[in-house]
Structures are given as C-alpha cells and as structure tokens.
Amino acid sequence: MPTPSVRPELLLAEASVAVSAPSAAWVATITADREFYDRVIARKGPDADQVGFPAFYPERRITLHGNDILIGKRSVSQGLTPDIDLGIAPADVGVSRAHAMIHLDGDELTVTDLGSTNGTSVNGSDELIPAKVPVALRSGDRIHLGGWTTIVFEHEPA
C-alpha cells in the first residue's frame, strides 16, 4: 500500500495556526468610582459606616489569564491569593477576601458573586446580582464591588 504524501505547505499552515498568539485578550481596569461610592453611602450598605473614599487610587490594568480569576483580598491565614487582589493599599474595606469569580471560556466572560458581604452589581445598577449565579458580561461592562471599586472588562486586540 503506498504511503500518502503530505504537502509541505499544509504542514506549515497547520503549524502557524497552532502557535499563533490569541487575536484578543480580556483586560480588567480597576478604579475608585466616586459615583458608586456615593450610591453605597446613600443606600447604607453593610459596611457603609466603615468605608471611606480614597484620596488617591491609581488605575490598574490587568490582562486576564486562565479560565477562573478570583477577585478579593489576599489572606495568608486563609491561603487566598486572588488573581485580582483588591487588598493593595488603599484597600476597599467593603471587598470580601473571596468576593467574586470571573470565568473565561474563549470569548465568553461571566462574573459570579461568591456570597460576599456587600455583593456585586453590574453597569451602575443598585440591584445586586444573585450569589453563586454566573452573569454574562460583554466588553465594556462594569462590575461594582465593595464600597467604591469598579472593574471594567474589555476585550482588546492582542
């Protein structure tokens, strides 16, 4: 039986597909959101009496890697090392140690509140998303957590 011949140009085409970089990446931009803070104070959230708005909070951008991205505050005693650590000074005291989980599946992105004390909301809504229920996000969507933290998720060209 003859050995099938393989065309070299097909091997090169397959190899380039296998090693090509992703065409886009999800990026999280973390900010201190004065408008969200004012709404938390007005509705007297669980930690409203303890939350103060920071005088300065540098915007942070984090490219998301992996499928499950934990948002919270680092805790050595609990063995928690969030992928998006909101315990970096100035820390938002309203953010739980394990606050929310971002799940990436290709171009699909969801957020799940993990049962946090102050909850998580999306796109300026005062209605909190249900705990432990994944909520789909689109590029440009904002999640609000703690007393003043807003994270914008954008699908950007790589």
Side-chain angles (χ1 to χ4, degrees):
M1 187 176 218
T3 305
S5 64
V6 177
R7 296 185 356 219
E9 65 273 15
L10 290 178
L11 288 175
L12 288 174
E14 289 175 11
S16 67
V17 168
V19 297
S20 65
S23 60
W26 282 99
V27 176
T29 303
I30 304 144
T31 61
D33 184 337
R34 182 64 192 219
E35 183 181 316
F36 174 55
Y37 170 77
D38 290 343
R39 290 195 325 265
V40 168
I41 298 304
R43 74 173 182 247
K44 298 182 181 7
D47 290 331
D49 59 337
Q50 299 174 32
V51 174
F53 193 77
F56 176 72
Y57 187 85
E59 180 178 286
R60 294 175 25 208
R61 287 175 49 87
I62 299 172
T63 301
L64 305 181
H65 299 284
N67 295 100
D68 293 308
I69 294 97
L70 178 63
I71 300 172
K73 293 193 280 192
R74 185 173 182 260
S75 171
V76 174
S77 64
Q78 293 179 6
L80 287 173
T81 307
D83 303 287
I84 299 178
D85 186 356
L86 300 177
I88 298 169
D92 183 339
V93 299
V95 173
S96 298
R97 294 190 199 300
H99 195 104
M101 183 71 71
I102 299 298
H103 180 73
L104 287 169
D105 187 8
D107 290 342
E108 305 293 317
L109 183 75
T110 61
V111 61
T112 304
D113 184 273
L114 299 175
S116 66
T117 301
N118 292 304
T120 304
S121 61
V122 178
N123 291 330
S125 173
D126 282 330
E127 187 174 322
L128 301 177
I129 64 174
K132 308 212 188 288
V133 176
V135 173
L137 298 174
R138 295 185 315 259
S139 186
D141 280 351
R142 299 166 289 139
I143 65 168
H144 312 282
L145 50 156
W148 46 259
T149 302
T150 292
I151 304 174
V152 180
F153 294 92
E154 294 179 295
H155 202 223
E156 298 181 348

